[in-house]
């Protein structure tokens, strides 16, 4: 057991050392200028806790996320609760969403970002870059998976529409003697419509 724990720590350290430089933290100054140009910053963009939950800003009407789930928003930036049961805290932040097939709870940090989510025994812990974009997600169930994000395309409102996800994890179904670690890379896209 102790050997597995140290192996897990070593893999996580390796992940951070090899994957993070590909995120916005490791880019040189010229690349950062290009990226800033691709992420318009509209200081007057509508920003609500509901939009923040989904990593959005502006007058968003609908979102088809990277998992092909669809969400509708009212003109004031609140999530339309059709088919959902939503609980909020005293700051108006969504702390629980119940749908017909799942319940998800959210914990918010002092900066107004989602720090954790939990659903069906799965816990996700999030970190963000200085622009508020999701930088990493640690998923824990029986084992773990670390995802690191790099943003490829943004729309005119400053919302990402395409990103790369690199991941490394520990499989619970590895055969004895088989390396339980896995890693890979994929591209995620989402479609956003505005009022």
């Amino acid at each position: 057991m102790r050997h597995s724990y140290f192996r897990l720590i070593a893999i996580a350290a390796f992940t951070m050392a090899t994957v993070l430089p590909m995120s916005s933290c490791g880019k040189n100054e010229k690349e950062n200028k290009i990226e800033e140009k691709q992420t318009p910053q509209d200081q007057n963009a509508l920003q609500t806790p509901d939009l923040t939950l989904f990593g959005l800003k502006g007058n968003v009407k609908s979102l088809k996320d990277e998992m092909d789930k669809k969400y509708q928003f009212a003109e004031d930036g609140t999530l339309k609760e059709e088919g959902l049961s939503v609980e909020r805290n005293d700051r108006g932040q969504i702390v629980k969403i119940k749908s017909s097939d799942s319940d998800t709870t959210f914990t918010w940090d002092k900066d107004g970002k989602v720090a954790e989510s939990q659903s069906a025994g799965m816990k996700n812990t999030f970190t963000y870059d200085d622009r508020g974009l999701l930088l990493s997600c640690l998923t824990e169930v029986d084992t773990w998976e670390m995802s690191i994000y790099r943003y490829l395309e943004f729309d005119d409102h400053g919302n990402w529409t395409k990103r790369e996800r690199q991941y490394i994890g520990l499989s619970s179904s590895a055969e004895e003697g088989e390396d339980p670690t896995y890693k890979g890379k994929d591209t995620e896209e989402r479609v956003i419509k505005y009022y």
Side-chain angles (χ1 to χ4, degrees):
M1 180 71 171
R2 184 178 175 136
H3 180 271
S4 297
Y5 174 76
F6 288 116
R7 180 180 171 91
L8 179 68
I9 297 299
I11 292 168
F14 171 77
T15 301
M16 299 307 262
T18 59
V19 179
L20 273 178
M22 296 183 70
S23 73
S24 60
C25 297
K27 293 188 174 192
N28 66 33
E29 188 175 324
K30 182 178 178 185
E31 288 173 318
N32 278 336
K33 286 182 182 174
I34 291 170
E35 191 168 359
E36 286 173 14
K37 189 175 183 183
Q38 292 176 336
T39 56
Q41 298 296 325
D42 181 358
Q43 299 300 328
N44 298 320
L46 180 62
Q47 190 68 53
T48 67
D50 292 18
L51 293 172
T52 298
L53 178 65
F54 294 91
L56 296 167
K57 60 186 169 189
N59 294 331
V60 176
K61 182 176 187 177
S62 66
L63 166 69
K64 180 179 169 188
D65 73 9
E66 63 277 12
M67 306 290 284
D68 284 334
K69 290 185 179 180
K70 296 177 184 175
Y71 300 94
Q72 300 289 325
F73 296 88
E75 287 187 62
D76 66 357
T78 57
L79 178 66
K80 290 186 178 179
E81 300 176 14
E82 299 162 7
L84 302 173
S85 171
V86 175
E87 294 177 25
R88 298 174 185 274
N89 63 18
D90 58 356
R91 291 197 260 163
Q93 298 164 327
I94 295 174
V95 294
K96 189 173 203 174
I97 296 179
K98 290 182 180 184
S99 66
S100 59
D101 59 348
S102 69
D103 290 3
T104 305
T105 59
F106 303 95
T107 304
W108 295 75
D109 67 18
K110 62 180 173 46
D111 297 324
K113 302 248 182 298
V114 177
E116 292 180 358
S117 72
Q118 293 190 33
S119 179
M122 177 173 40
K123 177 182 172 185
N124 294 304
T125 305
F126 307 104
T127 60
Y128 301 88
D129 68 11
D130 59 355
R131 297 167 295 166
L133 293 170
L134 180 63
L135 180 63
S136 69
C137 173
L138 174 63
T139 302
E140 300 170 87
V141 189
D142 295 336
T143 61
W144 61 272
E145 180 178 283
M146 172 66 82
S147 299
I148 306 292
Y149 300 93
R150 185 170 68 98
Y151 294 86
L152 306 173
E153 294 177 13
F154 293 84
D155 65 17
D156 292 339
H157 301 271
N159 290 313
W160 73 268
T161 55
K162 187 175 185 180
R163 70 183 178 189
E164 177 183 272
R165 180 179 77 102
Q166 291 191 1
Y167 57 90
I168 187 167
L170 191 63
S171 173
S172 62
S173 62
E175 300 292 325
E176 189 167 330
E178 184 179 61
D179 184 0
T181 60
Y182 62 91
K183 62 182 177 176
K185 178 173 30 174
D186 56 29
T187 302
E188 299 178 336
E189 297 185 50
R190 62 185 189 168
V191 177
I192 305 163
K193 294 184 180 174
Y194 298 88
Y195 283 101

